[in-house]
Amino acid sequence: MHKRMASIFHTVFSDLDREELGEHIDQWGFWAVRHKHHRRQSPLSTHAWGIACDLNWARNPVGAVGAMHPEIVQIFEYHGFLWGGRFSRVRDDMHFQYCTGY
């Protein structure tokens, strides 16, 4: 993750732990140097900037309604993240990013 995101992610994951939601997270990942949708002609993904994370990708495939726990979504959104389950173009339930208008 980007160094300026460390305290934000720390706060989010502390809140998840406090609410005992950690048992609902099997997989997590942050940084990946790649373009959006893995297309070279697209801009860099928010993962490449270290301002996004994916959770439980096995249960939340891109383009489908996944199984993300609603309280996890609520905590991320409370802290200013955009949830990929609300994307209008391609749904991405595993994805949380700390930027808009991208």
Side-chain angles (χ1 to χ4, degrees):
M1 72 186 73
H2 192 283
K3 66 182 178 181
R4 291 184 178 174
M5 291 296 299
S7 65
I8 296 166
F9 277 118
H10 180 268
T11 301
V12 170
F13 280 90
S14 293
D15 286 358
L16 293 171
D17 282 343
R18 186 184 69 249
E19 297 298 323
E20 299 179 355
L21 293 166
E23 66 187 47
H24 298 285
I25 299 174
D26 303 321
Q27 302 163 304
W28 52 274
F30 295 89
W31 186 69
V33 178
R34 66 174 181 78
H35 294 269
K36 286 175 66 174
H37 309 292
H38 301 277
R39 294 187 202 119
R40 292 183 81 66
Q41 67 273 24
S42 296
L44 287 175
S45 165
T46 52
H47 291 285
W49 299 106
I51 59 173
C53 74
D54 287 343
L55 303 176
N56 300 339
W57 46 85
R59 292 181 289 161
N60 295 284
V62 174
V65 176
M68 188 60 67
H69 194 288
E71 289 181 58
I72 292 173
V73 174
Q74 182 179 10
I75 287 172
F76 269 92
E77 289 182 331
Y78 175 81
H79 289 287
F81 284 81
L82 180 64
W83 177 47
R86 301 195 196 287
F87 289 175
S88 60
R89 200 166 149 212
V90 178
R91 188 177 177 115
D92 192 359
D93 282 19
M94 74 178 94
H95 184 80
F96 296 91
Q97 67 184 42
Y98 199 75
C99 70
T100 60
Y102 170 72

